[in-house]
Amino acid sequence: MISYLKLKKFNFLLILICLFVLMNRTDFIKDFSRVLKSDEPSRIVDRYGFCGGESIGYLRYLKEKFNFKSNPKIINFIHTPPTNWSIYDTNSINLKSDFEILINYPGEEIVIELPLNDKHFFLLKKSNYSLGNSSKEIIKFYIEDKTIKNLSIEFFSFDNFKIKKKISNLNIKRSNNNLFIIKNSENKLGFGKKNILIKITSEKGIYKNDDLKLIFQNKYQLNTLEILNNYQNCYLIKK
Amino acid sequence: MIEIFDITLLFIIFSLFLFSPLNLNVKNIYIVLFLAIFLLVNYFKDSKKIKVRENLLIFLIFFSIFFIFSIDIANELNLGWDAKWFYLIESLYYSQGNTFKELTEQMFRDFHPHPHLGSYLWAFFSNLSINNHEYYGRLFYLFLFIFGLFLITKKIIQNKNYEPIILIILTIVTYKYKYFSGLQEIIIFTNLIFISIVIYDYIVEKKFSDLLIISLCLNLILWTKAEGIVYFLIVISCINLIKKINFSHRIKFNILCLSLIVFKFLVYQFFEIKPNNQPYSLNFIENLDFDILFYQIYNITIYFVYNSINNIIYFVVLIVFFMSRDKIFKEEYYKFIFIFFLLNVCFIYSAYILRDQEIVYSLKTTIDRVVFTSSGFYLFFIGIYLKKLSFNFIK
């Protein structure tokens, strides 16, 4: 064959080495055996997970089982790339769907851990993904230090000139369940509408520990919904 | 010989582009294939000169590389964020039997980040397969990419013994799975390779057919991504700066390019498409703040330098510019590449300065792709330089 291709032996060897490097670079043998062993749908599940992460496996399973005639709304409780591509039907785009699919359902409450933005302020960004599925009527503050009994919480936002502007100031006592609860009827504080800086002061001074958690009520309460299918924390519900 | 394949492939893509307003139909595939074979056999006298035995090895290597990377794509299956967000959705319109009309009416009027050509090719080739797997469509991007590198190898290397080695090395240096995750940069990358090769031929031979091929490539770029218009304008500007270009060529080429833009504009008018969802605005100029400008330029420079080193092609091309600084304004091709490079760097800076998004976030998420897209243009130039260098070394 080498003579048929008019190739020098040394060059043939070089080509083989280069091809070997190329195969090694892409993990060819491993990839090839995977492609041979498992079909495309199972490789998709391996890549994206069945229920967890993007949960493409669960979405495809639902599409096959329920044969949707329209595109159900997919609500993913963790921030991932869009997932609707996996079951999207361009022919039924104008039809209203009776179904919603909940993925990575966290439970009745949604916990948002807040980082300390600078020395004194915790930052809750308006683009925080979890806020989209949260009810903002009642907000619970959780801090590790159990000895703190009273908190003064100041809320700030930025004006057009990026200068901090105080929105509200609340004094709260610790409730029985070790939480500090505030009422935010009609979302007066504007969570999810603007970036909010939170300054917390306790009887010990300004709170600077990086362990603040905000607990919101989930908009989707399972006991009020009709569940058609469930696997772990993935659900198909009827509107 | 190689021009035959180059032109035929461009012709196939261009034909597909012309079919893109229609829905995917088996008949279209036959028409395109028939026209391609017709073109190959009748319009190129050179086609009789193709010596299969002499080129067997390089073709074998071509398809071995294609096979190895195809397996990588088939196994990975992971799509890029933008691919999941809109490229695949656009492609689904075609693969589920809709046409450009439905795509514009149902999607592009509210949300039109990028044109449809890449998604159309994706749908076309995934529907060619028996089981309609989505990733078959992306294998065509891979074919285009390897074909671009194959062209460079064929153009630069005369010794048939070294061709396969150089082709494999080029693929090792440039291949990354993420470029084939459904993102469209790879199409522009390959088209820029085609342009850089054909412009070299034009500078040497001054044939108008070369300019025609360039305008064909530019049209494909224009319909691949919104940023395509910038590469379109940069290439036109560079071509107009070539000295001793035939006046009639210049006029014809400019009219042709202008008509391509007008055609796109008319299509957008006809289908009532408004190019929206672009994260750029001129607010920055209205509220000019030198502190912010300095902060932006500083960050762009840091990320640009880091990604240029990471990309290798940019890093090498800078070294080549430095080593051949005497030739830059003497040799037409060197000048062409250098002006392209300058305009491209200006584009990268201005795009990020005008981007209506947090600068560090947008740099982190996109600059590697922006750098990669244009790097295709310099590959052939680097090859030419290294070839000359090796000749000097042997002497």
Side-chain angles (χ1 to χ4, degrees):
Chain A
M1 183 176 165
I2 297 174
S3 60
Y4 180 77
L5 295 171
K6 294 180 182 173
L7 198 63
K8 288 176 191 165
K9 276 183 186 169
F10 176 71
N11 285 326
F12 184 71
L13 193 70
L14 261 180
I15 291 168
L16 281 184
I17 292 170
C18 285
L19 275 178
F20 181 76
V21 172
L22 191 71
M23 285 158 76
N24 194 39
R25 193 168 181 265
T26 57
D27 243 339
F28 176 74
I29 305 292
K30 221 172 168 183
D31 292 354
F32 191 59
S33 71
R34 265 193 219 139
V35 173
L36 279 182
K37 273 182 202 162
S38 49
D39 58 358
E40 198 243 11
S42 21
R43 293 205 304 279
I44 288 266
V45 173
D46 288 346
R47 176 63 53 199
Y48 293 105
F50 186 81
C51 175
E54 290 172 64
S55 309
I56 303 298
Y58 185 66
L59 295 175
R60 288 200 164 179
Y61 159 78
L62 288 181
K63 181 159 188 182
E64 206 174 307
K65 190 174 178 190
F66 290 88
N67 195 18
F68 302 124
K69 298 283 181 250
S70 54
N71 291 307
K73 190 178 174 188
I74 302 167
I75 294 138
N76 194 344
F77 285 86
I78 60 170
H79 195 200
T80 65
T83 49
N84 58 344
W85 58 271
S86 57
I87 55 167
Y88 200 71
D89 185 356
T90 56
N91 292 310
S92 53
I93 206 162
N94 296 321
L95 302 173
K96 206 178 167 192
S97 179
D98 294 331
F99 305 101
E100 283 188 8
I101 302 171
L102 310 180
I103 297 167
N104 302 305
Y105 184 76
E108 290 177 355
E109 292 181 327
I110 293 174
V111 180
I112 299 176
E113 292 182 11
L114 280 198
L116 198 58
N117 188 46
D118 59 26
K119 284 177 187 170
H120 301 140
F121 295 93
F122 296 90
L123 174 66
L124 179 60
K125 285 190 175 172
K126 74 171 175 185
S127 56
N128 189 302
Y129 183 76
S130 302
L131 283 176
N133 299 316
S134 309
S135 158
K136 284 112 190 163
E137 295 291 305
I138 293 171
I139 303 154
K140 298 169 186 169
F141 282 68
Y142 172 85
I143 50 175
E144 282 289 333
D145 191 342
K146 302 281 188 296
T147 58
I148 293 172
K149 301 290 175 206
N150 297 298
L151 286 185
S152 164
I153 307 175
E154 292 169 84
F155 296 91
F156 297 84
S157 69
F158 293 105
D159 66 11
N160 293 339
F161 302 100
K162 295 193 174 172
I163 296 167
K164 274 184 210 125
K165 193 178 130 193
K166 194 188 270 190
I167 312 168
S168 177
N169 186 8
L170 302 167
N171 294 308
I172 320 158
K173 284 186 179 174
R174 189 186 279 274
S175 67
N176 295 336
N177 50 4
N178 269 328
L179 295 165
F180 297 89
I181 302 169
I182 62 168
K183 282 184 183 163
N184 178 34
S185 54
E186 292 171 10
N187 194 13
K188 272 187 298 188
L189 294 168
F191 287 106
K193 290 179 185 166
K194 49 197 169 189
N195 291 341
I196 290 180
L197 288 167
I198 302 169
K199 185 179 175 184
I200 298 180
T201 315
S202 71
E203 54 267 37
K204 291 180 179 175
I206 296 172
Y207 192 78
K208 295 175 192 170
N209 294 352
D210 212 357
D211 58 10
L212 177 67
K213 288 175 188 163
L214 297 196
I215 302 166
F216 293 85
Q217 191 86 354
N218 196 333
K219 270 184 191 170
Y220 292 86
Q221 296 295 318
L222 289 181
N223 49 12
T224 62
L225 300 167
E226 187 184 342
I227 299 169
L228 300 176
N229 189 278
N230 163 233
Y231 180 83
Q232 291 175 350
N233 55 349
C234 298
Y235 296 86
L236 173 69
I237 57 170
K238 198 164 187 188
K239 278 184 190 171
Chain B
M1 186 273 282
I2 207 65
E3 280 80 5
I4 301 167
F5 292 111
D6 183 14
I7 295 167
T8 309
L9 182 71
L10 278 171
F11 172 77
I12 291 173
I13 305 171
F14 192 73
S15 313
L16 287 175
F17 163 72
L18 295 177
F19 278 115
S20 67
L22 310 171
N23 62 352
L24 287 181
N25 190 326
V26 184
K27 271 186 224 159
N28 298 352
I29 299 167
Y30 293 137
I31 292 168
V32 171
L33 285 178
F34 173 75
L35 288 174
I37 293 165
F38 184 75
L39 187 85
L40 194 69
V41 174
N42 289 293
Y43 286 89
F44 297 104
K45 291 167 194 165
D46 283 355
S47 65
K48 285 159 196 159
K49 290 182 196 164
I50 297 173
K51 290 169 186 162
V52 176
R53 191 176 162 186
E54 274 187 15
N55 293 294
L56 189 62
L57 180 67
I58 189 80
F59 287 134
L60 273 177
I61 295 297
F62 184 104
F63 287 105
S64 305
I65 295 169
F66 183 74
F67 181 68
I68 291 169
F69 288 150
S70 299
I71 294 294
D72 189 38
I73 291 170
N75 177 57
E76 274 286 325
L77 290 176
N78 194 20
L79 295 170
W81 189 296
D82 287 355
K84 288 170 185 164
W85 191 14
F86 43 79
Y87 291 129
L88 182 54
I89 303 284
E90 284 178 24
S91 145
L92 288 175
Y93 272 91
Y94 287 110
S95 52
Q96 292 175 356
N98 291 302
T99 64
F100 186 66
K101 188 171 170 279
E102 280 87 29
L103 179 65
T104 52
E105 281 173 358
Q106 294 171 6
M107 184 172 171
F108 280 176
R109 279 184 198 163
D110 304 323
F111 181 65
H112 178 54
H114 294 290
H116 69 292
L117 179 64
S119 300
Y120 179 78
L121 294 172
W122 189 347
F124 183 88
F125 287 96
S126 46
N127 275 30
L128 267 186
S129 66
I130 303 162
N131 36 19
N132 288 8
H133 288 326
E134 151 287 306
Y135 72 86
Y136 284 114
R138 289 188 283 136
L139 294 185
F140 180 69
Y141 298 173
L142 176 67
F143 179 83
L144 268 183
F145 165 73
I146 302 174
F147 187 76
L149 301 181
F150 172 77
L151 276 185
I152 292 176
T153 314
K154 278 299 232 181
K155 272 275 182 189
I156 292 170
I157 309 294
Q158 310 300 336
N159 187 333
K160 299 239 178 285
N161 277 301
Y162 295 121
E163 274 178 358
I165 298 166
I166 300 298
L167 179 61
I168 298 170
I169 290 172
L170 275 178
T171 51
I172 290 173
V173 171
T174 47
Y175 175 84
K176 276 182 190 166
Y177 170 78
K178 67 174 176 183
Y179 302 141
F180 301 92
S181 61
L183 305 173
Q184 311 286 293
E185 282 79 10
I186 194 70
I187 299 176
I188 299 185
F189 174 91
T190 312
N191 270 303
L192 287 176
I193 289 181
F194 294 158
I195 292 173
S196 69
I197 294 172
V198 179
I199 201 74
Y200 181 79
D201 289 346
Y202 180 75
I203 288 169
V204 175
E205 297 168 3
K206 298 276 189 312
K207 284 193 312 199
F208 182 72
S209 59
D210 290 333
L211 289 182
L212 200 70
I213 295 169
I214 291 170
S215 58
L216 200 72
C217 291
L218 287 174
N219 186 46
L220 298 179
I221 290 177
L222 200 61
W223 285 94
T224 304
K225 279 197 85 181
E227 294 92 298
I229 182 89
V230 180
Y231 294 109
F232 186 95
L233 294 174
I234 290 177
V235 172
I236 292 173
S237 313
C238 292
I239 288 176
N240 276 295
L241 287 172
I242 296 175
K243 275 184 191 169
K244 294 173 191 170
I245 184 171
N246 186 315
F247 183 71
S248 74
H249 287 188
R250 194 191 296 269
I251 296 289
K252 279 191 266 180
F253 176 71
N254 284 322
I255 290 173
L256 195 60
C257 289
L258 184 70
S259 57
L260 291 175
I261 291 192
V262 171
F263 174 70
K264 189 177 176 186
F265 177 75
L266 290 175
V267 170
Y268 273 47
Q269 285 282 309
F270 183 76
F271 287 100
E272 295 172 32
I273 305 168
K274 284 186 186 126
N276 54 17
N277 296 95
Q278 297 302 323
Y280 303 102
S281 82
L282 295 176
N283 290 347
F284 172 80
I285 297 169
E286 287 166 21
N287 316 314
L288 189 63
D289 182 333
F290 284 100
D291 285 345
I292 295 173
L293 183 66
F294 177 76
Y295 173 75
Q296 284 177 322
I297 291 174
Y298 171 76
N299 277 299
I300 296 167
T301 310
I302 298 275
Y303 278 90
F304 180 58
V305 170
Y306 172 75
N307 281 284
S308 302
I309 296 167
N310 233 359
N311 182 274
I312 298 180
I313 300 171
Y314 258 76
F315 186 62
V316 175
V317 86
L318 277 173
I319 295 171
V320 174
F321 282 143
F322 180 74
M323 298 295 283
S324 56
R325 56 193 178 281
D326 303 336
K327 289 181 188 168
I328 284 176
F329 291 103
K330 285 178 190 162
E331 289 196 22
E332 213 48 70
Y333 189 63
Y334 280 63
K335 189 180 86 179
F336 185 90
I337 299 290
F338 186 67
I339 294 170
F340 182 94
F341 177 81
L342 288 181
L343 292 174
N344 186 35
V345 171
C346 291
F347 160 60
I348 292 173
Y349 272 83
S350 49
Y352 283 102
I353 288 171
L354 297 175
R355 209 174 161 98
D356 222 1
Q357 228 172 31
E358 209 280 302
I359 183 92
V360 176
Y361 173 76
S362 55
L363 283 165
K364 268 184 190 169
T365 48
T366 56
I367 197 165
D368 57 333
R369 285 188 275 146
V370 176
V371 167
F372 169 75
T373 307
S374 53
S375 63
F377 199 77
Y378 311 115
L379 261 181
F380 181 64
F381 169 68
I382 294 169
I384 292 277
Y385 176 78
L386 291 178
K387 189 182 173 184
K388 281 186 183 169
L389 200 70
S390 66
F391 278 149
N392 293 341
F393 184 72
I394 292 163
K395 277 179 193 170

